[in-house]
Amino acid sequence: MSTDHQYALTTTWTGNRGPGTTGYRDYDRDTVVAMPGKPALLGSADAAFRGDRGRWNPEDMLLAALSQCHLLSYLHACVARGVVVTAYVDDAHAVMAQDGNGGHFVSATLRPRVTVADGSMVDDAIAAHDDAHEWCFIANSVNFPVRHETVVEIG
C-alpha cells in the first residue's frame, strides 16, 4: 500500500538591489523560504557563487536533510531494537563536483556519534544505522552514495 505525502513551501527572492538582474554582479542571491507555522529560513547561494555565507544555501540544506533524516530514522530503529539513545551528534560532510556551469554531489558522509545507555546495546546501536539508511526517505531519493562512519559510546 502506497501513501503519498504532500509538501509545499514558498521561496521568495529578496536580493533585488534596485536594478534587478541587469548584470551578474547587480543583485544579491538572498531568499526567504517559508511554510505556514514554521520560522522563515534565510537562504542564499553558496559564497563561491556570490552568495551570503551567513545564510543557508541549497547545498547546505541538502546535507542537513540527509543528516536529519538519518538521525530521525535511526532513533526509530533504536526504539525497534530496544536501544536507549541518550545523545546523538552528526558531523556530516558532502562533496559536490562542479563542471563548467553545472555540478552534482558525488558523495555524503555522515559521522554520527551516538551515546547509548548500556554496553549491551552497542551491537544493536551499530546495526540500527543500516536500518536507518534503508528507511531514510532523503537518502533513498539521491543519486550519490551516502556513507556512515559511526561511533557508539556508552553513557
Side-chain angles (χ1 to χ4, degrees):
M1 178 174 144
S2 177
T3 303
D4 290 341
H5 299 272
Q6 305 293 319
Y7 302 91
L9 55 80
T10 301
T11 302
T12 304
W13 173 52
T14 59
N16 185 351
R17 294 187 210 144
T21 58
T22 54
Y24 187 72
R25 290 179 164 77
D26 296 340
Y27 62 95
D28 291 329
R29 277 64 176 167
D30 295 351
T31 63
V32 176
V33 180
M35 287 183 125
K38 296 182 182 181
L41 181 64
L42 301 180
S44 188
D46 187 350
F49 306 108
R50 304 192 58 79
D52 181 342
R53 67 178 70 246
R55 291 177 171 232
W56 287 88
N57 64 58
E59 296 82 10
D60 294 334
M61 290 188 282
L62 178 60
L63 181 58
L66 284 165
S67 178
Q68 185 178 6
C69 185
H70 184 83
L71 180 156
L72 296 169
S73 299
Y74 179 76
L75 296 178
H76 175 76
C78 284
V79 168
R81 288 177 171 270
V83 175
V84 177
V85 175
T86 59
Y88 184 114
V89 177
D90 182 13
D91 293 316
H93 176 79
V95 176
M96 183 182 78
Q98 186 179 0
D99 182 13
N101 287 328
H104 62 278
F105 278 83
V106 295
S107 68
T109 303
L110 307 180
R111 294 183 180 95
R113 290 187 321 272
V114 179
T115 304
V116 296
D118 186 85
S120 65
M121 300 174 178
V122 170
D123 289 342
D124 278 331
I126 292 169
H129 283 287
D130 292 333
D131 299 337
H133 183 70
E134 182 180 324
W135 299 344
C136 176
F137 305 134
I138 307 301
N140 286 316
S141 299
V142 299
N143 65 352
F144 55 87
V146 179
R147 297 180 186 91
H148 307 93
E149 296 174 1
T150 304
V151 174
V152 176
E153 300 170 342
I154 303 161

